[in-house]
Amino acid sequence: MSSIHLQNLVKKFGEFTALKTMDLVIEDGEFMALLGPSGCGKSTTMNMIAGIEEPTSGRILFGDRDMAGVPMGGRGVGFVFQNYAIFTHMTVRQNLAYGLRMRGLAKSEIERKVSAIAELLQLSPLLDRKADRLSVNILQRVAIGRSAIMEPAIFLLDEPLSNVDAAFRAVMRTELKHLQRQFRQTMVYVTHDQLEAMTMADRIAVMDHGVLQQVGTPLEVYNHPANVFVARFIGAPGMNLLKGRPAERDRGLVIDLGRLGATQPLPPALAASLRNHGREVLYGFRPEQTLLSAEGRGLRMPVDFVERIGARTIVHLGRDETAVKAVFENDVKLGEAVTVSPAEASVRIFDAATGTAIRAE
Amino acid sequence: MAEIAFRNVTKRYGDLVAVDDVSFTVEDNEFFCFFGPPLSGKSTILRLILGLETPDRGEVLIGGKPVNDVSPAGRNVAMVFQNLALFPHMTAAENVRFPLVERRVPAPEIGRRLAEVSEKLHIGHILHKPPAQLSGGERQRVAIARALVRDPAAYLMDDPISALDARLREETRVELKRIQRDLGKTLIYVTHDQEEAMSVADRMAILEGGGIRQIGTPVEIYDRPASAYVARLLGSPTMNILPGTHAGSAFEAADGAIRVADAPAGAMEIGVRPENLRVEPWTEDKQGRPVKVFEVEPLGGYTVVTLESGQSRLRALMRGQPDIRTETMVALSCDPARVHFFGQSGGALGR
């Protein structure tokens, strides 16, 4: 069994607490992304799983085996870093074969495995090239291949794609996911890029300031963020959040957006949860689920800025506290001001004081 | 006036032609982006504008005047800090002042410039604080203020925000663009991130091997790429470009999964943007032939679907969270008005 159990895991560096009491179970064969901004504790967590760092307190189990005191080499994990470690004086073939040779595998067996992994990572035509003649993109592919060929039960990747170019990153995302699906290793993937986490992971553990914020499938964290941090961090752009207060109107409970001078209706289930809330809330909705309404109800806002990025147009409306972003198709025509409204089913409400999501009853 | 132009500029390093007969005009107050893969000539062009290199042939003009013989100091263009990180031991004000102090600008002038840039960037009230006490957004504005505190005719920036986290990059690029508009200055920008280039640039030049392949607004280049090379550089996922065959006046690619009734003579490849590829569940009454779903990547607001047809892989970008499963069969179609054709040498063909 190569499940990974993090139990009450804490890591301090002197006064600084890098990780506060983390509990997480990564299932056997699961692709888990540890996602968060710089300094959130994701790499520290990864390093403890790998055995590079010792926990200050708490336990790490692989299956039912406690990893306390087990050195990195004894854990049976494969590790790929942001900065690939490749022997530049060797060919791609020699790099891929290196670990298996150290392990003393038969030559024919090594050859078979090298050509299989090269095929999978599209390295076959490059097998006899010297590594020092290859691009960063290809080197990272070799680094991944060199770790994957050892068929580790647990595969750890720390920002492996941050140095490769954007087009290649998109290709590698698909390939990495496919590789994991084929070998069914337990994969832990550290990234600050929500796009990588969303596209590859079975589940995402979102972290901030050493605290695990939410664990869920990509669509769970996107559709039902546990708090405002997750709501803002997941999505491109993140969720819009406007200050408001629940208020009783003829048409039922609404959110009064105060400074924006608008009241927004609520789906009935959410209205029920908010009936006795009274306190200030954050009214959340996704830029991609924001509709342009020709007239009538909605938020009338000045167009501040328009980014047309290929297929999408990101429209920035208003400024500062009342800023809202909307994502439209690329052929949208805009005036100086527009009226937008969120698709009702996409509305999410958070407690303004605690930042915690208020769920529909 | 800070119009910057190249007329047939060539720069060689030994046998390597780093910049190959390049001509362009960056208008006054324009946000102009150079975009291309490594070693395509971006950095050499910046060095030629700055005066750190002299062209072997052709002319560099700033404000309409030839400057081939003008020293870097005499050109009044500023290269901006590569990294927008702040010095942690200095206050915001000290950070902003730094480039001027370093250049021994007189104290009253420093005070005047600091006041001016702080007002434009709305950071006057936080100038006394060290970076640790600033929010992420405030830190960005201070860093940009530091970058812009000098008052040259034009700024040059070489991949200034590449070191930031993905989320911070998305916000900073918008901030940069806003500030450039407020300041009304010519800004020449180099980036390796196509999304960033499309977001900020008024116009952009696409480079390959030292030559300019296309100049235009991001929208023009995205919608009407001059070649398959240019088409591949912009867009994420990248454009599907597939070799195909003529069948009468029709054109077929990806084992017949893509079929367009009318193609120009000489077409070798067909290009379809992922967002222009329609994916629907396969039913018997569909045209063409079914293809297999290889991978489904949910982005939340969009879904990327990778499809396999014969030897070809195609990507489709679908809005929302459609219920499509891997290993199932789907039907592909595309609007013939939204496909591109490329000829023998990769050039785009008119219809």
Side-chain angles (χ1 to χ4, degrees), chain B residues 53-84:
Chain B
E53 301 284 357
T54 318
D56 294 318
R57 265 191 37 222
E59 223 168 21
V60 177
L61 301 109
I62 298 179
K65 297 190 189 82
V67 293
N68 282 23
D69 301 325
V70 178
S71 72
R75 293 191 181 196
N76 200 25
V77 290
M79 185 76 186
V80 147
F81 279 83
Q82 184 131 26
N83 190 340
L84 286 178

Coordinates of all heavy atoms in Angstrom, one line a residue, chain B residues 53-84:
Chain B
E53 N 24.5 48.2 -28.1 CA 25.0 47.5 -29.3 C 24.9 48.5 -30.5 O 23.9 49.4 -30.5 CB 24.3 46.3 -29.7 CG 24.3 45.2 -28.6 CD 25.6 44.4 -28.6 OE1 26.5 44.7 -29.4 OE2 25.7 43.6 -27.7
T54 N 25.7 48.4 -31.5 CA 25.6 49.3 -32.7 C 25.2 48.4 -33.9 O 25.8 47.3 -34.0 CB 26.9 50.0 -33.0 OG1 27.5 50.4 -31.8 CG2 26.7 51.1 -33.9
P55 N 24.2 48.8 -34.7 CA 23.9 48.0 -35.8 C 25.0 47.8 -36.8 O 25.8 48.7 -37.0 CB 22.7 48.7 -36.4 CG 22.5 50.0 -35.7 CD 23.5 50.0 -34.6
D56 N 25.1 46.6 -37.5 CA 26.0 46.5 -38.6 C 25.5 47.2 -39.8 O 26.3 47.6 -40.7 CB 26.2 45.0 -38.9 CG 26.9 44.3 -37.7 OD1 27.8 44.9 -37.1 OD2 26.5 43.2 -37.3
R57 N 24.2 47.1 -40.0 CA 23.5 47.8 -41.1 C 22.2 48.4 -40.6 O 21.7 48.0 -39.6 CB 23.2 46.8 -42.2 CG 24.3 46.7 -43.3 CD 23.7 45.9 -44.5 NE 22.3 46.2 -44.7 CZ 21.5 45.2 -45.1 NH1 21.8 43.9 -45.1 NH2 20.2 45.5 -45.3
G58 N 21.8 49.5 -41.3 CA 20.5 50.1 -40.9 C 20.6 51.1 -39.9 O 21.7 51.5 -39.4
E59 N 19.4 51.7 -39.5 CA 19.4 52.8 -38.7 C 18.4 52.7 -37.5 O 17.3 52.2 -37.7 CB 18.9 54.0 -39.5 CG 19.7 55.3 -39.3 CD 19.4 56.3 -40.3 OE1 18.3 56.3 -41.0 OE2 20.2 57.2 -40.5
V60 N 18.8 53.1 -36.3 CA 17.9 53.2 -35.2 C 17.5 54.6 -35.0 O 18.4 55.5 -35.0 CB 18.6 52.7 -33.9 CG1 17.7 52.8 -32.7 CG2 19.1 51.2 -34.0
L61 N 16.2 54.9 -34.9 CA 15.7 56.3 -34.7 C 14.9 56.4 -33.4 O 14.1 55.6 -33.1 CB 14.8 56.7 -35.9 CG 15.5 56.6 -37.3 CD1 14.9 55.5 -38.0 CD2 15.3 57.9 -38.0
I62 N 15.2 57.5 -32.7 CA 14.4 57.8 -31.5 C 13.9 59.2 -31.7 O 14.6 60.1 -31.9 CB 15.2 57.7 -30.2 CG1 15.7 56.2 -30.0 CG2 14.4 58.1 -29.0 CD1 16.6 56.0 -28.8
G63 N 12.6 59.3 -31.6 CA 11.9 60.6 -31.8 C 12.2 61.2 -33.2 O 12.4 62.4 -33.4
G64 N 12.4 60.3 -34.1 CA 12.6 60.7 -35.5 C 14.0 60.9 -35.9 O 14.4 61.1 -37.0
K65 N 14.9 61.0 -34.9 CA 16.3 61.3 -35.1 C 17.2 60.0 -35.1 O 17.0 59.2 -34.2 CB 16.9 62.3 -34.1 CG 16.2 63.6 -34.1 CD 16.9 64.6 -33.2 CE 16.1 65.9 -33.0 NZ 15.1 65.7 -31.9
P66 N 18.1 59.9 -36.1 CA 19.0 58.7 -36.1 C 19.9 58.8 -34.8 O 20.4 59.9 -34.5 CB 19.9 58.9 -37.3 CG 19.2 59.9 -38.1 CD 18.4 60.8 -37.2
V67 N 20.0 57.7 -34.1 CA 20.8 57.7 -32.9 C 22.0 56.7 -32.9 O 22.6 56.4 -31.9 CB 20.0 57.4 -31.6 CG1 19.0 58.6 -31.4 CG2 19.2 56.1 -31.8
N68 N 22.3 56.1 -34.1 CA 23.3 55.1 -34.2 C 24.6 55.6 -33.5 O 25.3 54.8 -32.9 CB 23.7 54.8 -35.7 CG 22.6 53.9 -36.3 OD1 21.5 53.8 -35.8 ND2 23.0 53.2 -37.3
D69 N 24.9 56.9 -33.6 CA 26.1 57.4 -33.0 C 26.0 58.1 -31.7 O 26.9 58.7 -31.1 CB 26.8 58.5 -34.0 CG 27.0 57.8 -35.3 OD1 27.4 56.6 -35.4 OD2 26.9 58.5 -36.4
V70 N 24.7 58.0 -31.1 CA 24.5 58.6 -29.8 C 24.8 57.6 -28.7 O 24.4 56.4 -28.8 CB 23.0 59.1 -29.7 CG1 22.7 59.7 -28.3 CG2 22.7 60.1 -30.8
S71 N 25.4 58.0 -27.6 CA 25.8 57.1 -26.5 C 24.5 56.6 -25.8 O 23.5 57.3 -25.9 CB 26.7 57.8 -25.6 OG 26.0 58.7 -24.8
P72 N 24.6 55.5 -25.0 CA 23.4 55.1 -24.2 C 22.9 56.2 -23.3 O 21.7 56.4 -23.3 CB 24.0 53.9 -23.4 CG 25.1 53.4 -24.2 CD 25.7 54.6 -24.9
A73 N 23.8 57.0 -22.7 CA 23.4 58.0 -21.8 C 22.6 59.1 -22.5 O 21.8 59.8 -21.9 CB 24.6 58.6 -21.0
G74 N 23.0 59.4 -23.7 CA 22.4 60.4 -24.5 C 21.0 60.1 -25.1 O 20.4 60.9 -25.7
R75 N 20.6 58.8 -25.0 CA 19.4 58.4 -25.7 C 18.1 58.6 -24.9 O 17.0 58.5 -25.4 CB 19.5 56.9 -26.0 CG 20.6 56.7 -27.1 CD 20.5 55.3 -27.6 NE 21.6 55.1 -28.6 CZ 21.7 54.2 -29.5 NH1 20.7 53.2 -29.5 NH2 22.7 54.1 -30.3
N76 N 18.2 58.8 -23.6 CA 17.1 59.0 -22.7 C 16.0 57.9 -22.8 O 14.8 58.2 -22.8 CB 16.4 60.4 -23.0 CG 15.6 60.9 -21.9 OD1 15.8 60.5 -20.7 ND2 14.6 61.7 -22.2
V77 N 16.5 56.7 -22.9 CA 15.6 55.6 -22.7 C 16.1 54.8 -21.5 O 17.3 54.7 -21.2 CB 15.5 54.6 -23.9 CG1 14.8 55.3 -25.1 CG2 16.9 54.2 -24.3
A78 N 15.1 54.2 -20.7 CA 15.5 53.6 -19.4 C 15.2 52.1 -19.4 O 14.1 51.7 -19.8 CB 14.8 54.3 -18.2
M79 N 16.1 51.3 -19.0 CA 15.9 49.9 -18.8 C 15.4 49.7 -17.4 O 16.0 50.2 -16.5 CB 17.2 49.1 -19.0 CG 17.0 47.7 -19.0 SD 16.3 47.1 -20.5 CE 16.1 45.4 -20.1
V80 N 14.3 49.0 -17.3 CA 13.7 48.9 -16.0 C 14.2 47.6 -15.3 O 14.6 46.7 -15.9 CB 12.1 48.8 -16.1 CG1 11.5 48.0 -15.1 CG2 11.6 50.2 -16.1
F81 N 14.3 47.7 -13.9 CA 14.7 46.5 -13.1 C 14.1 45.2 -13.7 O 12.9 45.2 -13.9 CB 14.2 46.7 -11.7 CG 15.0 47.6 -10.9 CD1 14.9 49.0 -10.9 CD2 16.0 47.0 -10.0 CE1 15.7 49.8 -10.2 CE2 16.8 47.9 -9.3 CZ 16.6 49.2 -9.3
Q82 N 14.8 44.2 -13.8 CA 14.3 42.9 -14.3 C 13.4 42.3 -13.3 O 12.4 41.7 -13.6 CB 15.5 42.0 -14.5 CG 15.1 40.7 -15.1 CD 16.0 40.3 -16.2 OE1 17.1 40.8 -16.3 NE2 15.5 39.5 -17.1
N83 N 13.7 42.6 -12.0 CA 12.9 41.9 -10.9 C 12.2 43.0 -10.2 O 12.7 44.0 -9.8 CB 13.9 41.2 -10.0 CG 13.2 40.3 -9.1 OD1 12.0 40.5 -8.8 ND2 13.9 39.4 -8.5
L84 N 10.9 42.8 -9.9 CA 10.1 43.7 -9.2 C 10.1 43.5 -7.7 O 9.2 44.0 -7.0 CB 8.7 43.8 -9.8 CG 8.5 44.4 -11.1 CD1 7.0 44.3 -11.6 CD2 8.9 45.9 -11.1

